[in-house]
Amino acid sequence: MMLHVPEVLSAPQVQQLRRALDATEWVDGRETVGDQGAKVKRNRQLPEQSPVSQELGRLVLAALARHPLFFSAALPLHYVPPLFNRYEGGEHYGLHIDGSVRRVPGTGAQLRTDLSCTLFLCEPEEYEGGELEVVDTYGVHEVKLPAGDLILYPSTSLHRVTPVMRGARVCSFFWLQSMVRDNHQRGMLFELDQSIQKLRARLGETDETVALTGHYHNLLRLWSEI
Ligand code: NI
């Protein structure tokens, strides 16, 4: 399941991040990929361990913690701290798959990448090209979202970023391990949760909404790995 999560960051928060990103130094994006990715990756990133990257990453994760739609869809357990990238002057990232297991920098921890996230930090009209293209069995999905919005997609998908031919594309990107490993099970829980929320908004709390909430939690108990 791919999901557009709107308004993760407010306009002032986006501006705060953009100012900090404009004032700092970027390095070659090939530093954080293996051999296969390095052949097709042409962009720049903030160094993983830089204080700016870590501080802005914390801000992104704090915003996500306050976003019920994101939580409902992702059921996050562990995150790789958010990274930041920039594409301009024809830079791009060819078709690739994200690594299945990633080390959390500065710790001994590793996590399984169940979901990939791209948080857009500039408006679509600020640059030409730079679409995120995610390939699945239904074909190619082209993604270019307003500043502050996020796309959540399964890390099992092949994807690419098309060349940026005008302006600059600035995003945050990161991975998470979900409490529910299976995309189909996680998608079913998301649909059930969203339907329960709509029923509660329409009818108030009823014996049926309480019973359905019980089913939701019992399925989560059955399927979650913590
Ligand atoms: Ni990728």
Side-chain angles (χ1 to χ4, degrees):
M1 181 185 70
M2 288 182 74
L3 184 73
H4 172 183
V5 183
E7 295 172 15
V8 170
L9 297 179
S10 65
Q13 284 175 313
V14 169
Q15 288 313 315
Q16 183 191 344
L17 263 71
R18 287 287 295 275
R19 274 195 300 274
L21 291 170
D22 284 345
T24 194
E25 278 189 31
W26 298 77
V27 297
D28 191 319
R30 280 172 282 196
E31 286 191 5
T32 53
V33 283
D35 292 346
Q36 199 179 47
K39 289 197 178 79
V40 292
K41 186 174 185 183
R42 297 290 177 274
N43 70 356
R44 276 156 302 144
Q45 286 176 198
L46 287 199
E48 279 182 323
Q49 302 277 39
S50 82
V52 178
S53 183
Q54 291 178 351
E55 187 194 327
L56 300 185
R58 280 193 289 273
L59 202 149
V60 169
L61 292 185
L64 286 172
R66 295 189 295 268
H67 206 296
L69 181 69
F70 178 83
F71 186 87
S72 174
L75 297 172
L77 178 61
H78 299 302
Y79 290 95
V80 176
L83 298 170
F84 297 85
N85 62 14
R86 183 180 177 100
Y87 296 78
E88 61 189 321
E91 288 176 324
H92 61 280
Y93 195 167
L95 194 67
H96 68 280
I97 187 87
D98 294 340
S100 52
V101 176
R102 289 196 79 93
R103 200 171 289 281
V104 179
T107 74
Q110 297 187 92
L111 61 77
R112 186 185 64 235
T113 55
D114 292 321
L115 289 165
S116 299
C117 303
T118 298
L119 171 63
F120 289 76
L121 297 175
C122 47
E123 298 294 350
E125 53 273 17
E126 289 181 65
Y127 60 102
E128 216 169 87
E131 286 83 9
L132 170 67
E133 293 186 345
V134 180
V135 183
D136 67 16
T137 51
Y138 289 96
V140 178
H141 305 273
E142 207 172 82
V143 183
K144 194 173 195 175
L145 300 179
D149 288 15
L150 176 144
I151 187 81
L152 185 68
Y153 62 98
S155 302
T156 48
S157 320
L158 290 171
H159 54 280
R160 66 167 77 89
V161 177
T162 64
V164 172
M165 303 314 289
R166 178 184 61 79
R169 174 195 194 267
V170 181
C171 290
S172 175
F173 65 103
F174 52 96
W175 300 270
L176 65 91
Q177 181 171 328
S178 175
M179 288 186 267
V180 176
R181 174 184 198 156
D182 184 85
N183 285 320
H184 184 58
Q185 290 174 336
R186 194 184 324 104
M188 286 169 66
L189 285 169
F190 175 62
E191 286 177 19
L192 178 57
D193 182 44
Q194 294 301 300
S195 297
I196 292 170
Q197 299 310 326
K198 284 177 192 152
L199 279 176
R200 291 173 74 192
R202 194 190 307 164
L203 306 172
E205 213 63 85
T206 63
D207 289 349
E208 290 78 10
T209 59
V210 173
L212 284 170
T213 303
H215 289 311
Y216 173 85
H217 280 286
N218 289 334
L219 284 171
L220 183 56
R221 216 183 313 276
L222 198 61
W223 291 338
S224 58
E225 305 160 357
I226 296 180

